[in-house]
Amino acid sequence: MILRIAFGFFVVFILISSVLMQKTVSVNLLILLGSCLLLSILFENRIPRIRVLQIALLGIFHWVSHLNWCIDLYLLLTAKTYQTRKVGRTVAVSVFLALLYSSIRLSYSEHTLYTFLVTLFDLLGFVIIVLMVHYFQTAKREKQLLQQENTHLATHDLLTELLNFQEFHKQLQQLLKRKKRVALLLIDCIDLKSMNNEQGFESGDRILKKTAEVLQQIFHDARLLARYGGDKFAVALYAEDTSNQIQNRIELLVNEFPKKLQIEITYGYAVYPDEGESKDELLLLTEERLFTMKREIWLRREEHMLRSEKLRLIGELAAGMAHEIRNPLTTVRGFLQIAKEKNYNIEPWYEVIMGEITRISELTGEFLQFSKPHVSNFKVQPLQECIQRVIDLMKSEAVLLGHQIEHEFELDPIYILMDRDKIVQLLINLIKNAFEAMEENGVVFIRLYRVGSLGTIEIQDTGPGIPQEHLDQIFHPFFTTKKTGTGLGLSICHKIVQDHGGTIDLESSPKGTTFRVTCPAVHGSGM
Ligand code: ADP
Ligand code: MG
């Protein structure tokens, strides 16, 4: 536009100047040519071919005006033909125009060395101007591109190319100003975090990208589509009377995701202005709905997990038990077969058979401890008394094995709500383990003390300790390192402590092991 105005201005200026300075060959012809030139500028957009005519008109106008100032008109024509992508062509046009200008100029001026040198100079001037324009144009374009890229980076998520969180908020605010019904949908991919942990970030990123693609397909008419941080996405779309359709599309989404991407999604959805009258209200409601759905899914999964964990435990126990009983049964069966061959005289194997049967009944007896109802005989009693009884019970066995039992009790009685028989059984199990762990002449220390509202019993031995690799298994049912062990002792201890609302832990080193049982104490002297 500016070029066209400048061109028109120069035509009129040169025309008047030429007439005033009486340079022109013919005033009338000059006015006619000038008018034609002006007209050609007016129509050049509508009739592109007119440009060729323009050059011819300019040439004649130049010659009739006899003014070198026409050079500006040539330059303006060159500038108008300038195109960034076709610099070579523009240079060619400019050289052509420069030659045209020079030859016309030479036709009415004297042929001196000076005019020839000026011609050469003009020629160079044309090319330099084209190249300079080119340089500035390219720089400007690059700057524009860079700016575009910068704004894109600041407003979009790099991975999915969707809007980012801040930009979504900004644009949603503007969208709501238009006073149309808008549906807002928040979507969360629930298993993505665990997938990231298991399969690495690349697969998580791949899924996020795919999610963005699927969303773009299903919500192709969305006004806004954003990665709402982490593995959350947001969609905003006009919801004139089509809420049903939106619901359908959400259902499609919920079905498509597990199929296409092997992940489940949760979502929350609310409509402006029906359910929320401002951006914040709308977002809050949507987030709330998303969270409710997420919670429901968590609860359902947890329930499922608990159920399968229980089943797993029962399975483990049953398998262990079957295995433990099968061994002595096989022995007994073997002896009975031999007995049949030797006319049923089981006399020589009586002891062995009886031993195996005793073991089976011991095992089943111990095993039953697990299934006994856990609240049976709970009373508030002092721990001191209970431990003293256990020490009395174990004394003879200690002497027999060559061990010593030492104890150290806090003087104030520590009362505990307990099933006394169970606590006795717990302590006997722990002391027996200690005896069995020590070779000869070992010492078992039993300590009892109170820490705040907790009573703690420690049973320490001078045995070889428990190897690191066994530590996380010793409470598992049937784990044993002994030839004739059942592996049930510690798991029963664990259950008893649990039934009393306490905890059991241990410290072990090659110099000995300490089991520590802690139970909540009751104030006062009991009931
Ligand atoms: P069991 O005594 O029948 O082997 P437990 O459940 O009582 O079964 O113990 C499991 C295992 O834990 C034992 O076989 C033993 O290896 C280890 N253990 C338990 N108590 C001690 C201890 N005081 N010192 C060393 N090892 C122990
Ligand atoms: Mg044991």
Side-chain angles (χ1 to χ4, degrees), residues 433-434 436-437 461 465-466 474 479-482 485-487 489-490 513 515:
N433 275 350
E436 283 160 11
D461 63 49
I466 302 171
I474 55 165
F479 174 79
T480 180
T481 53
K482 298 166 195 166
T486 59
L490 283 181
T513 306
F515 277 87

Side-chain angles (χ1 to χ4, degrees), residues 366 428-434 436 479-480 482 485-491 493:
E366 274 198 75
I428 289 180
N429 274 349
L430 292 178
I431 295 171
K432 264 197 169 163
N433 275 350
E436 283 160 11
F479 174 79
T480 180
K482 298 166 195 166
T486 59
L488 286 173
L490 283 181
S491 47
C493 290

Side-chain angles (χ1 to χ4, degrees), residues 7 91 95 143 168 199 260 284 302 526:
F7 195 88
V91 170
V95 169
K143 200 174 147 196
F168 180 76
Q199 301 174 11
K260 282 197 175 159
L284 205 71
E302 201 175 68

Side-chain angles (χ1 to χ4, degrees), residues 185 219 246-255 267 269:
L185 174 66
F219 296 102
I246 293 178
Q247 202 75 51
N248 288 346
R249 282 199 270 175
I250 294 175
E251 259 159 48
L252 184 70
L253 201 68
V254 172
N255 291 333
Y267 66 89
Y269 156 70

